[in-house]
Amino acid sequence: MEVQTCSKCGRLFNWVGIGPRLCPVCKDQEEDIFKKVKEYLWDHKGATMPEVIENCGATEKQIKQWLREQRIEFAKGSGVTVDCERCGKPILSGKMCNECKKKMEEELKALSSGEELPVRKKVRDRDRMRFLNE
Ligand SMILES: [Zn+2]
Ligand SMILES: [Zn+2]
């Protein structure tokens, strides 16, 4: 436990060390909104971002984060996507597109077997840096 300031309301609270820096009150509020968004998307297939923001009281930032965490997903036709962290291609949710995920797996495999792939070395080094910085 460590005392942190809530990133939303500024109140001091005991932070457990994981998850967003939100006090219990703001966290509850966020969970409520999240439930609303999830239900709304369930009932309204093809809902768009402004629609969800207006009807559920969520912010675009929150929604994008939930998409990254793969907690929610918009329908294909809604046009709501996040960018693949590697190639920037729009994806429905998560961090990487399927191709990049596959490439990453191959690279990790090559890495653990000690095999050198000179063409991809540069990309790999960049990714490794990013992991270290995270
Ligand atoms: Zn708070
Ligand atoms: Zn990609």
Side-chain angles (χ1 to χ4, degrees), residues 84-89 91 95-101:
C84 167
E85 280 186 352
R86 256 180 87 138
C87 70
K89 207 168 86 173
I91 47 173
K95 291 187 169 160
M96 269 184 250
C97 70
N98 285 335
E99 285 117 81
C100 286
K101 254 191 245 166

Side-chain angles (χ1 to χ4, degrees), residues 6-11 22-27:
C6 172
S7 62
K8 205 165 164 187
C9 70
R11 231 188 311 243
L22 289 175
C23 71
V25 179
C26 293
K27 210 169 171 178

Side-chain angles (χ1 to χ4, degrees), residues 78-129:
S78 68
V80 182
T81 53
V82 286
D83 297 335
C84 167
E85 280 186 352
R86 256 180 87 138
C87 70
K89 207 168 86 173
I91 47 173
L92 284 180
S93 69
K95 291 187 169 160
M96 269 184 250
C97 70
N98 285 335
E99 285 117 81
C100 286
K101 254 191 245 166
K102 227 198 244 164
K103 265 189 228 161
M104 191 80 136
E105 266 166 37
E106 278 167 24
E107 282 167 19
L108 283 176
K109 234 185 269 166
L111 206 66
S112 57
S113 68
E115 201 184 306
E116 268 306 304
L117 294 171
V119 189
R120 287 203 182 131
K121 196 172 181 298
K122 223 174 165 181
V123 176
R124 218 172 53 211
D125 283 344
R126 203 182 62 206
D127 282 332
R128 203 158 28 184
M129 289 289 291

Side-chain angles (χ1 to χ4, degrees), residues 43-62:
D43 292 337
H44 305 80
K45 307 254 187 231
T48 58
M49 179 77 91
E51 222 181 300
V52 173
I53 290 172
E54 203 184 307
N55 287 291
C56 307
T59 63
E60 185 166 340
K61 206 175 139 204
Q62 275 175 328

